[in-house]
Amino acid sequence: MEIWPAIDLRHGRCVRLQQGDYERETVFGEDPAAMARRWVVAGARRLHLVDLDAARGDDPTENLAAVRAILQAVDVPCQLGGGVRSEAIIEELLDMGLARLVVGSAALKRPEWFAQMCDAHPRRLAAGIDAREGMVATDGWLETSSTPAVTLAKDLRSRTENIAAIIYTDIAKDGMLEGPNLQGLQEMAAATDIPLVASGGVTTLDDIRALVDVDMPAAIIGRALYEGRLDLPEVLEVAGEQ
């Protein structure tokens, strides 16, 4: 199972939110590039970056500078999500050197456009499907749609073969250190053959083992690494990446 340590960016700093709430922020570092080096030195083979400012329409300038610094600091594939809503942004970010982009709100609101972008950039775009009680949430998790997450996944697969992955986040679990939503993940895995990345709530080595046991292809880990509840080399060993 692939492990993606997360680096969430807000105002150019490395932070974590609880359940996507911008008022429940913890700052874990002023230097995201140093944090990226830390995870790579510990064995990370890839990194998951999130632009929290762009996700809700705020000025992403500081975060884009941080992303450039990360890409210069480490030599592993990095994917970025947050505010990826236009062809111009997609091309700008891919040209920066990012390996993959995560499209969230736009994949739900403009699925035909998202499919066209996937076809234009094969295997470079992933759908970020964030669910609140099984329904897709959008706009930095500020809005909840009436579309079930599994319905969106099936619809996207019907439109394109070139989608790279689905990053599936259960918002109720995100940043809460309560374990992943295995049932929701298994329902999503059963709904489509798109490679799935589990996100939200991974806290213990038993959580890693549980994801491995259900053949989850990949998982993103955030707060548990930052708070020292998980040791990245141990995680990589359990996941079979060491």
Side-chain angles (χ1 to χ4, degrees):
M1 183 171 71
E2 295 179 356
I3 298 298
W4 295 76
I7 299 178
D8 289 7
L9 302 167
R10 190 175 185 210
H11 303 318
R13 301 184 298 180
C14 180
V15 308
R16 296 297 294 173
L17 307 181
Q18 289 184 306
Q19 296 180 323
D21 187 343
Y22 285 71
E23 300 303 317
R24 300 161 74 189
E25 174 190 277
T26 304
V27 178
F28 283 103
E30 300 287 340
D31 186 347
M35 190 66 72
R37 285 192 295 268
R38 170 184 170 184
W39 297 136
V40 171
V41 168
R45 299 183 184 179
R46 56 194 66 80
L47 295 171
H48 175 73
L49 315 179
V50 181
D51 186 336
L52 291 170
D53 293 328
R56 68 173 191 175
D58 294 340
D59 185 353
T61 303
E62 293 172 295
N63 289 342
L64 288 176
V67 170
R68 291 188 182 93
I70 289 170
L71 294 174
Q72 292 174 353
V74 299
D75 189 22
V76 299
C78 296
Q79 71 179 9
L80 174 71
V84 184
R85 300 185 181 119
S86 73
E87 184 173 8
I89 291 173
I90 288 171
E91 292 181 354
E92 177 187 357
L93 293 173
L94 290 177
D95 286 346
M96 282 172 56
L98 288 156
R100 196 159 80 179
L101 303 178
V102 183
V103 181
S105 303
L108 168 69
K109 296 178 177 180
R110 293 182 287 152
E112 184 174 348
W113 170 84
F114 176 67
Q116 291 172 350
M117 292 300 97
C118 287
D119 292 340
H121 306 280
R123 306 296 193 274
R124 302 287 302 277
L125 303 182
I129 299 183
D130 305 326
R132 183 179 282 115
E133 298 182 353
M135 297 295 177
V136 177
T138 63
D139 300 286
W141 297 354
L142 300 176
E143 305 292 336
T144 303
S145 74
S146 59
T147 302
V150 293
T151 299
L152 176 58
K154 291 177 179 179
D155 179 56
L156 294 178
R157 170 48 94 208
S158 72
R159 294 173 184 271
T160 179
E161 293 292 317
N162 289 315
I163 184 171
I166 288 174
I167 318 297
Y168 182 68
T169 304
D170 185 317
I171 293 171
K173 297 291 188 179
D174 190 68
M176 299 307 292
L177 302 170
E178 296 176 350
N181 180 354
L182 286 174
Q183 180 180 348
L185 287 165
Q186 287 175 291
E187 289 172 357
M188 180 62 76
T192 175
D193 62 351
I194 301 171
L196 195 59
V197 183
S199 173
V202 178
T203 307
T204 68
L205 289 178
D206 283 342
D207 292 337
I208 301 295
R209 295 185 184 99
L211 292 172
V212 171
D213 287 345
V214 298
D215 296 321
M216 194 58 48
I220 292 168
I221 308 177
R223 184 175 287 270
L225 287 175
Y226 288 90
E227 294 191 352
R229 295 170 184 254
L230 282 173
D231 177 69
L232 184 56
E234 289 183 345
V235 169
L236 295 171
E237 184 175 356
V238 171
E241 281 220 298
Q242 289 286 64

